[in-house]
Amino acid sequence: MLRIAVLVSGGGTNLQAIIDGIAAGTITNTQIAAVISNKKDAFALERARRAGIPGIYMSPREYDTKEAFTKALLAQLEELDVGLIVLAGCLMLIPPEVVERYRYQIINIHPSLIPSFCGKGFYGLKVHEEALKRGVKVTGATCHFVDEGTDTGPIIYQKAVEVEPDDTPEILQRRVMEQAEWIIMPKAIDDIANHRLQVIEGTVHYK
Ligand code: GRF
């Protein structure tokens, strides 16, 4: 059974897709050990509570130094005994020591087709504003392993989504969530939990 920690910062719709996937049996061999949020009022914590999943507030702001926060986060993850860390709408920077300790055991969902519209400053609605400004006809979402960079780790899955003529950033964001994010993140978790993929020389291979 793969134990996972889901790290969140906001509404938690990607967390909800994981909760629902486990309940529906489309994500197998997986248990959410805890949801960790760097925002005390994140609705994602309410979603965890409703699902009977432990919710933990942890923010670098509560610690005197980055090192103290890193130590506390590593201790919390060790205590949870997780095999996978899932960044689901998580806006917190993951300390390099955590990336190193959990190499190829941290995944993220990004609301564009990496390498487009990603990197520093590209998160949430901003990603869709830039896609509309550029006039792309197709966008989508990417699930990838997390490394020391921003949105630079090995790509696991991507799913394309059509941009419609009257799209606003909000409408496009919702479509990308519904038609891409909420599909590829659960699929990646199920594949990892059932040992269907591995990283060889920085590239994801499927068994
Ligand atoms: C989503 O657009 C996701 O791609 C990004 O954060 C946004 C909010 O996600 N990472 P959620 O509703 O909190 O899961």
Side-chain angles (χ1 to χ4, degrees), residues 1-8 30-37 45 48 52-58 71-86 92 98 101-102 105:
M1 177 73 77
L2 177 66
R3 289 170 58 83
I4 70 173
V6 183
L7 273 55
V8 298
T30 302
Q31 176 191 15
I32 303 176
V35 171
I36 300 174
S37 175
L45 286 174
I53 299 166
I56 300 165
Y57 165 65
M58 281 193 87
K71 190 161 174 274
L73 181 57
L74 279 170
Q76 180 63 74
L77 292 167
E78 294 289 348
E79 186 188 327
L80 290 167
D81 187 26
V82 294
L84 184 68
I85 297 164
V86 177
M92 179 174 70
V98 176
R101 163 66 182 79
Y102 290 94
Q105 291 179 275

Side-chain angles (χ1 to χ4, degrees), residues 93-199:
L93 218 58
I94 305 304
E97 296 85 348
V98 176
V99 174
E100 179 59 36
R101 163 66 182 79
Y102 290 94
R103 181 74 56 192
Y104 303 135
Q105 291 179 275
I106 309 175
I107 64 173
N108 181 47
I109 185 78
H110 182 76
S112 77
L113 296 176
I114 289 173
S116 298
F117 310 113
C118 66
K120 285 198 184 340
F122 283 92
Y123 56 87
L125 220 45
K126 164 91 174 161
V127 173
H128 305 291
E129 287 165 359
E130 291 304 312
L132 290 171
K133 202 184 290 180
R134 183 65 184 80
V136 296
K137 306 310 170 193
V138 173
T139 185
T142 303
C143 184
H144 63 94
F145 284 107
V146 171
D147 63 8
E148 284 75 2
T150 305
D151 306 326
T152 51
I155 290 174
I156 303 169
Y157 287 121
Q158 294 189 300
K159 195 167 187 309
V161 172
E162 298 280 326
V163 180
E164 306 292 345
D166 319 339
D167 273 345
T168 63
E170 292 76 8
I171 292 171
L172 183 54
Q173 179 179 51
R174 186 77 194 178
R175 187 179 311 119
V176 168
M177 285 176 166
E178 287 172 349
Q179 296 183 10
E181 295 179 36
W182 301 344
I183 294 167
I184 61 175
M185 173 79 106
K187 179 169 171 47
I189 294 169
D190 186 51
D191 284 348
I192 292 166
N194 294 287
H195 313 290
R196 292 194 203 102
L197 55 86
Q198 59 184 6
V199 181

